[in-house]
Amino acid sequence: MTGVRHPAQDAKRLVATASGTERESVAWPHRDLLSLEELTADEITVILDTAEAFEDVSTRSVKKVPALRGRVVVNLFFEDSTRTRTSFTLAAQRLSADVIDFTARTSALNKGESLRDTVRNIEAMGVDLIVCRHSASGAPYLIARNVNCSVINAGDGRHEHPTQGLLDIYTIRQAKKRIDGLNVAIVGDVANSRVARSNLHGLLKLGAEVSFVGPTTLVPKAFEQLGANIYHNFDAVIDRFDVINMLRVQRERVTSNVFPSLEEYSRLFGLTNERMKRAKPDVLVMHPGPINRGVEMSADVADGQKSAILRQVANGLSVRMAVMFLCKQAADVG
Ligand code: CP
């Protein structure tokens, strides 16, 4: 791309020199990150490469670069979170931003203020970037339409969780050295999972084959239209997969009896050491967290040699640094 430098080069230089003052055209045009469905394969690769450049920062004694110095990031979380919220906070701090944690439960939303008014008031205080998690699918789009600052989706209802999808894909690429041609299973509560959707869109764009595995009530045949293979018998297909990403059973979103009992679910779809004997010897086991140990997977699999679960969490930092850095650059240019 003549005259346009890959943003990972910017990130590498930033990490190397800690100058952070240069500004050029970059191959990343988006002020916001709302979904992976709307990104191209090249744009996803730009994020992954930029995250790789930022990885070094987390291993230094001084874990900071000045990329967002003087900028303000607001964490706007309307749903509980351990990993995503902490990861965005730490990532923003490593980019030298000031971070504000907005807590919906103690805000003027409880006095009847609308989401639109809330975000417009927050932006009026000079905020540069809003990170939003909301139980309503589409809430980050509503926010992005009503503010001029950057908006990053940290999970909206059953729609998407783009940074989780990116950190999952980053972790797979790190372990397997490629995405193209891999056979990836996403197992469990697909119907209620924003993680499944973000993984599906990102993995398909980068050339992987994606299979959804689970009971018919949670993995409807209609999902084939999204480009995934659909399987209801885990044992019959487990030996095909290079990666098995186990989804949490989302008790808060499961509104009716979609399987007879958690014991029955675990017996048919839980990843145990016994079931792992049928998987490929080099299979990579993943889970976005939080885990229901003994339901989606046994504790020994979660903590075992093939598990990448804590690596996923660690990689989330570099990925979120990359996303905030790129969106801020695009906002400054545009
Ligand atoms: N994976 C994930 O989104 O975890 P949290 O709900 O803890 O943020």
Side-chain angles (χ1 to χ4, degrees):
M1 234 181 274
T2 316
V4 179
R5 211 173 45 218
H6 190 298
Q9 290 176 292
D10 278 0
K12 269 188 192 139
R13 199 178 54 249
L14 203 82
V15 171
T17 65
S19 68
T21 51
E22 291 182 45
R23 197 177 294 166
E24 289 181 34
S25 299
V26 294
W28 172 264
H30 304 289
R31 183 189 67 160
D32 307 317
L33 176 67
L34 302 177
S35 78
L36 295 195
E37 186 175 13
E38 60 206 42
L39 299 187
T40 65
D42 283 349
E43 288 167 351
I44 293 171
T45 303
V46 163
I47 298 174
L48 302 181
D49 291 350
T50 306
E52 214 165 70
F54 275 124
E55 212 172 272
D56 177 50
V57 176
S58 298
T59 62
R60 295 167 166 193
S61 54
V62 179
K63 297 179 173 55
K64 278 205 182 215
V65 287
L68 294 190
R69 182 184 286 153
R71 306 301 175 111
V72 181
V73 174
V74 173
N75 275 333
L76 204 63
F77 276 57
F78 297 88
E79 260 190 5
D80 295 341
S81 166
T82 297
R83 280 146 289 270
T84 312
R85 186 178 192 135
T86 310
S87 181
F88 267 112
T89 299
L90 210 47
Q93 287 171 345
R94 288 192 180 170
L95 295 171
S96 304
D98 296 321
V99 186
I100 298 169
D101 266 326
F102 170 92
T103 310
R105 269 180 231 121
T106 55
S107 75
L109 284 158
N110 292 327
K111 299 176 188 169
E113 189 167 43
S114 68
L115 178 58
R116 178 178 177 275
D117 282 339
T118 299
V119 294
R120 282 165 65 86
N121 277 272
I122 285 174
E123 187 186 32
M125 295 178 216
V127 165
D128 298 285
L129 200 150
I130 292 175
V131 177
C132 174
R133 168 170 289 190
H134 204 289
S135 57
S137 301
Y141 289 82
L142 183 147
I143 295 172
R145 279 197 302 275
N146 283 284
V147 295
N148 293 312
C149 66
S150 293
V151 178
I152 297 175
N153 181 2
D156 62 326
R158 295 176 172 91
H159 173 233
E160 279 221 33
H161 190 346
T163 58
Q164 180 69 45
L166 287 166
L167 75 88
D168 289 346
I169 295 167
Y170 184 87
T171 304
I172 296 170
R173 191 176 82 161
Q174 190 180 56
K176 300 287 185 187
K177 312 296 176 216
R178 67 189 169 111
I179 299 295
D180 190 30
L182 288 179
N183 202 342
V184 179
I186 300 177
V187 182
D189 189 359
V190 173
N192 292 295
S193 176
R194 53 199 179 203
V195 175
R197 277 167 191 67
S198 287
N199 266 273
L200 176 78
H201 292 306
L203 287 166
L204 288 180
K205 281 173 194 206
L206 297 183
E209 184 172 343
V210 179
S211 301
F212 288 155
V213 183
T216 51
T217 45
L218 295 176
V219 182
K221 196 80 178 150
F223 282 7
E224 265 176 355
Q225 289 166 16
L226 298 173
N229 307 312
I230 304 294
Y231 299 111
H232 304 301
N233 184 340
F234 195 14
D235 286 326
V237 292
I238 189 170
D239 59 350
R240 301 180 186 181
F241 304 119
D242 303 296
V243 178
I244 300 177
N245 196 349
M246 302 299 295
L247 299 174
R248 179 172 70 91
V249 174
Q250 303 199 34
R251 301 177 207 212
E252 73 276 22
R253 287 190 227 282
V254 174
T255 50
S256 57
N257 291 331
V258 292
F259 41 79
S261 68
L262 284 179
E263 290 72 27
E264 170 89 349
Y265 177 87
S266 181
R267 192 175 60 74
L268 293 173
F269 298 103
L271 202 52
T272 57
N273 269 337
E274 195 50 39
R275 189 158 271 138
M276 281 288 284
K277 287 181 191 160
R278 293 189 210 125
K280 285 188 177 177
D282 63 345
V283 70
L284 188 72
V285 173
M286 302 174 68
H287 192 302
I291 305 172
N292 296 305
R293 285 172 185 253
V295 180
E296 299 100 56
M297 60 171 60
S298 61
D300 40 14
V301 173
D303 302 329
Q305 298 250 314
K306 293 179 174 139
S307 168
I309 294 170
L310 291 180
R311 225 178 310 145
Q312 288 172 259
V313 176
N315 288 338
L317 263 180
S318 315
V319 165
R320 290 178 175 118
M321 285 173 78
V323 167
M324 287 192 277
F325 170 72
L326 292 169
C327 289
K328 171 254 178 191
Q329 287 230 55
D332 286 355
V333 170

